[in-house]
Amino acid sequence: QVQLVESGGGLVQPGGSLRLSCAASGSIFSINVMGWYRQGPGKERELVATISSDGATKYGDSVKGRFTISREAAKNTVYLQMGSLKPEDTAVYYCYTEFAVRIGKRSSSWGQGTQVTVSS
């Protein structure tokens, strides 16, 4: 079983910055992808950013140029540096990973989520 623990959420003013962290632990043979999705009030969950084991990144259109995803592979940890925050960024941010528990057996996992509120 794999657990994802997010941290770093909170209240921030528009135009401010915030950094989220997510650490994976458990029965992990290798991690293929780690990243972040978010779900705002009355909205469906959407892609924020992902990073693969080879370092390739993908960003949702609404955060391109403002957010940066990075990783520390040795710690199974992913970070999301958020800048120029807008009220529309208010959401619960969920960490996500695609991993292999052993050779030939892949799985995925979601964190419990961390609240990010952008408001003056």
Side-chain angles (χ1 to χ4, degrees):
Q1 185 174 345
V2 170
Q3 295 81 42
L4 298 175
V5 179
E6 304 106 328
S7 63
L11 176 65
V12 63
Q13 296 183 5
S17 299
L18 205 62
R19 187 179 72 171
L20 305 182
S21 300
C22 174
S25 62
S27 301
I28 302 172
F29 178 75
S30 63
I31 289 180
N32 300 315
V33 176
M34 290 191 74
W36 297 89
Y37 291 72
R38 69 185 183 187
Q39 187 167 18
K43 300 179 180 179
E44 295 187 349
R45 192 171 298 187
E46 65 176 353
L47 168 72
V48 177
T50 60
I51 185 166
S52 63
S53 60
D54 64 0
T57 58
K58 181 183 295 184
Y59 293 93
D61 289 340
S62 64
V63 307
K64 289 179 179 177
R66 299 189 297 120
F67 293 8
T68 301
I69 190 168
S70 61
R71 65 185 174 94
E72 290 189 65
K75 297 182 178 180
N76 289 336
T77 299
V78 65
Y79 304 94
L80 184 69
Q81 181 66 49
M82 303 182 292
S84 301
L85 284 162
K86 306 173 181 179
E88 66 191 64
D89 296 317
T90 296
V92 177
Y93 284 70
Y94 296 92
C95 186
Y96 172 79
T97 185
E98 298 174 7
F99 66 97
V101 64
R102 58 173 172 82
I103 295 176
K105 184 174 177 59
R106 295 189 176 191
S107 190
S108 61
S109 185
W110 292 91
Q112 292 298 306
T114 184
Q115 177 70 46
V116 173
T117 302
V118 184
S119 176
S120 60

